[in-house]
Each structure stands twice: as structure tokens, then as C-alpha cells.
Amino acid sequence: IALEERGSLLLRARDDVSAARDLLTESLEVARGLAAADPQSVTLARDVLRSAALLGDALAQIGDSTGAQQRYSEALGISLRLSAVDST
């Protein structure tokens, strides 16, 4: 979470988008690892979703539209999976 928060702050401030991308990439890798260890955890899945979306934002800001779309697609897939689980 600390990596994601630092990356998000850098991204919002637009001070160093490359550093934000690096932090958010690391955050996503950690989140994916934790979610893989506990695939039933909605909280961990949401962490992956949030990290993927933020990384997509960073990639879009540096002009990597392909990478951004991949991360947004990943976030959307998780969102759809979670909404199917919680259809109330």
C-alpha cells in the first residue's frame, strides 16, 4: 500500500511520472502476489484492481497507450469478476 500511495502522490502532482510508474509497477506486482496467495480475498482483488488502474493512468500520462489499455483491461476484468460475485 505504501508503494501505491507514494506512486499515486507523484502521479497526481505530475512531478515525476516515470518514478510514479516504477512505484506503481512494483505495487501491482506485490498486490498480484498477495492476491494469488489468497484468491478468495475480495480485498486483495480490489488492491490489484486499484493498482492496475493507477498504473494505467501513469502509463497513459507518459504516452504508453498500449500498456495503459492492458492495465485498464486488467482492472476492468477484476471489477467484472467482483461484481459477479457480489450481485446483490
Side-chain angles (χ1 to χ4, degrees):
I1 300 291
L3 293 169
E4 182 183 297
E5 289 175 2
R6 287 178 35 213
S8 181
L9 286 172
L10 284 172
L11 187 60
R12 280 186 269 145
R14 296 179 189 242
D15 286 340
D16 190 347
V17 178
S18 293
R21 178 203 55 215
D22 294 345
L23 289 168
L24 293 168
T25 298
E26 188 175 350
S27 174
L28 179 57
E29 291 170 359
V30 169
R32 284 176 179 154
L34 292 171
D38 187 1
Q40 300 304 314
S41 173
V42 171
T43 300
L44 294 175
R46 286 185 183 139
D47 289 346
V48 175
L49 186 159
R50 186 176 49 248
S51 291
L54 285 170
L55 180 54
D57 292 344
L59 293 169
Q61 283 190 27
I62 61 172
D64 181 355
S65 59
T66 301
Q69 182 168 356
Q70 290 171 343
R71 296 298 63 84
Y72 292 143
S73 293
E74 179 180 3
L76 177 61
I78 295 167
S79 181
L80 292 173
R81 182 173 57 84
L82 291 176
S83 67
V85 170
D86 184 19
S87 60
T88 58

